[in-house]
Amino acid sequence: MLPHPARAADPVVGDEPLDLTMLRPAETPRHAAPAVAGPTEPTDQPTEQPTDRPSDEPAGTRTDRSGAEPADHPVAPEVLPTASTDHDGTTVLSADVVALRRRLPEWAGHAVAAPLATSLPTPASPAAARLALSTGERVTLSRPVLIGRAPQASRVHSSQVPQLVTVPSPMQDISRTHAEVRMDGDDVVLTDLRSTNGVLVVRPAAAPQRLQPGEATVLQPGVLVDLGEGVTFTVERSR
């Protein structure tokens, strides 16, 4: 029996033995991971990029970039709504116009009634009035009348130019612009223009009335107005 060779003693570094496993080569695992391929070179062929299909493009159709439809996918013609399928109730169609024309009366056989003529009543104009003076003068009351021995239009503020009627007054009992007579609607109105001796109004079956300075009264036909010194006048109405 041969003697076994003596095992070499583990090397000692310093006072501690050296771990020999650190000096062994690393073992390759049985199932190694596949090697990672390196970067590939770019090719010259262009890759087709996906394009977003418009939301209004129907599924199954494809349109090229120029907007033209391929020949193998023709576009269906647009169908316009007809009177039997679509009518909004406000549009007058040609068929409705023809039906309306048929309902119109014929000029030869039917007379179209004309609108009724309405006549409005004409307002009655006030009866014409005039003054009959004791001097024999007649004055129509188409505008205000100023009576006096020397009447002046500046004494009365009116939109119409008054008529000036001069009466004799040797004693000067009648003022220069003694009184005014004018139409107010259908009434004849007498006004004392602050005369010196006043205006006397005599009505039938009544006591004489002397007007106060600036006072006005309505005159009826047959009423006598006395200005003084025998100058009087009455109101006459034409019938």
Side-chain angles (χ1 to χ4, degrees):
M1 181 175 184
L2 296 176
H4 294 280
R7 182 181 179 181
D10 297 333
V12 179
V13 178
D15 298 335
E16 298 181 358
L18 180 62
D19 188 1
L20 297 179
T21 60
M22 299 178 59
L23 301 178
R24 298 175 184 175
E27 296 181 359
T28 303
R30 296 180 180 181
H31 302 283
V36 179
T40 59
E41 296 181 359
T43 59
D44 297 337
Q45 298 179 357
T47 58
E48 181 178 358
Q49 298 295 333
T51 58
D52 296 335
R53 185 170 56 212
S55 58
D56 56 351
E57 180 181 358
T61 59
R62 185 176 179 182
T63 308
D64 56 3
R65 294 183 180 179
S66 62
E69 190 71 21
D72 54 349
H73 296 285
V75 179
E78 183 180 0
V79 179
L80 298 177
T82 60
S84 60
T85 59
D86 186 12
H87 197 297
D88 56 3
T90 58
T91 305
V92 180
L93 303 180
S94 59
D96 298 337
V97 174
V98 174
L100 291 175
R101 287 180 177 176
R102 291 176 179 175
R103 298 178 184 177
L104 293 177
E106 298 180 0
W107 297 110
H110 299 84
V112 179
L116 297 177
T118 57
S119 57
L120 298 177
T122 304
S125 57
R130 65 177 183 176
L131 301 180
L133 282 81
S134 58
T135 59
E137 188 176 0
R138 299 293 186 269
V139 180
T140 303
L141 294 176
S142 57
R143 49 181 175 162
V145 175
L146 300 181
I147 305 175
R149 59 183 174 88
Q152 298 177 359
S154 60
R155 291 290 305 274
V156 178
H157 300 283
S158 176
S159 59
Q160 296 178 329
V161 178
Q163 302 180 65
L164 305 180
V165 177
T166 304
V167 295
S169 178
M171 304 298 295
Q172 296 187 357
D173 290 342
I174 300 176
S175 301
R176 290 179 179 273
T177 309
H178 200 93
E180 177 197 32
V181 183
R182 59 183 174 85
M183 296 293 299
D184 187 2
D186 197 30
D187 297 331
V188 179
V189 179
L190 168 66
T191 304
D192 181 4
L193 296 180
R194 303 184 182 278
S195 62
T196 303
N197 297 320
V199 177
L200 189 66
V201 179
V202 181
R203 291 182 172 89
Q209 175 189 3
R210 185 173 295 276
L211 299 181
Q212 299 296 326
E215 183 181 357
T217 185
V218 177
L219 299 179
Q220 301 296 337
V223 175
L224 179 67
V225 178
D226 188 357
L227 300 180
E229 295 191 35
V231 177
T232 61
F233 67 86
T234 58
V235 176
E236 295 178 351
R237 292 277 190 174
S238 62
R239 299 185 183 274

